[in-house]
Amino acid sequence: LGTSDRVVVGTGGYLSPHAYILGQSITLGSNCVVAAGVRLDGTIAAGDNCSFNLHSTVAGKVTLGHDVRVATGASLWGFDHAHDDPGRPIICQGIVSRGIEIGDDVWIGANAVVTDGVRIGSHVIVAAGAVVTRNIPDYAVAAGNPARIIRDRRARRSAGTDKGTAS
């Protein structure tokens, strides 16, 4: 799709004219898709074949590997408000950013939230509505608030178990 001063999009991708591209530096690999209502805001680098579905948000410092799916309404917040001084309003304390790192072949389910400082390994599924506040290792399926590992994707499943964990 092209290049601008702050946005670089690889070949074969789609950037909706109804997306909100606000960041300082956004790099999307080949064949990435950014749907309507998506907010990309910060310093974001995505590998090839990533998708950002309706009304998802990626903000702050966020690095995504290849083949990452960010489902509808999911939010990745690669920054936080400083809040160490209870005597000062939070708005006056600035922003801190450790960033978020996401491996390859990851599915972030609908309305999930990933907070600053988290690393999500490769081949991970984050269930719909999960709130990820801690690192998740490769091949994990994580769900809940706060998100916990509910299984390893490499483990065999019994018939009729684990009926859909992400959306």
Side-chain angles (χ1 to χ4, degrees), residues 41-44 59-63 77-79 97-101 116:
D41 187 0
T43 302
I44 299 163
K61 181 181 176 188
V62 181
T63 303
W77 297 104
F79 73 95
S97 179
R98 294 175 289 162
I100 293 171
E101 293 179 31
D116 187 41

Side-chain angles (χ1 to χ4, degrees), residues 29-49:
S30 297
N31 303 310
C32 288
V33 175
V34 178
V38 170
R39 176 181 171 203
L40 300 179
D41 187 0
T43 302
I44 299 163
D48 297 337
N49 305 309

Side-chain angles (χ1 to χ4, degrees), residues 36 48 63 70 77 80 92 94 106 109 125-126 149 157:
D48 297 337
T63 303
V70 181
W77 297 104
D80 201 354
C92 298
V106 174
I125 297 172
V126 174
I149 297 167
R157 296 189 301 184

Side-chain angles (χ1 to χ4, degrees), residues 64-151:
L64 303 96
H66 302 295
D67 304 305
V68 175
R69 304 286 175 252
V70 181
T72 299
S75 299
L76 285 64
W77 297 104
F79 73 95
D80 201 354
H81 295 276
H83 56 272
D84 293 336
D85 184 352
R88 289 178 51 208
I90 292 171
I91 195 170
C92 298
Q93 295 187 49
I95 300 291
V96 295
S97 179
R98 294 175 289 162
I100 293 171
E101 293 179 31
I102 298 177
D104 297 330
D105 181 33
V106 174
W107 182 10
I108 309 292
N111 300 310
V113 175
V114 180
T115 62
D116 187 41
V118 167
R119 183 185 188 297
I120 295 175
S122 293
H123 316 289
V124 168
I125 297 172
V126 174
V131 178
V132 182
T133 60
R134 288 178 270 177
N135 294 345
I136 299 176
D138 292 350
Y139 293 97
V141 176
N145 180 4
R148 290 183 171 76
I149 297 167
I150 59 171
R151 75 176 184 88

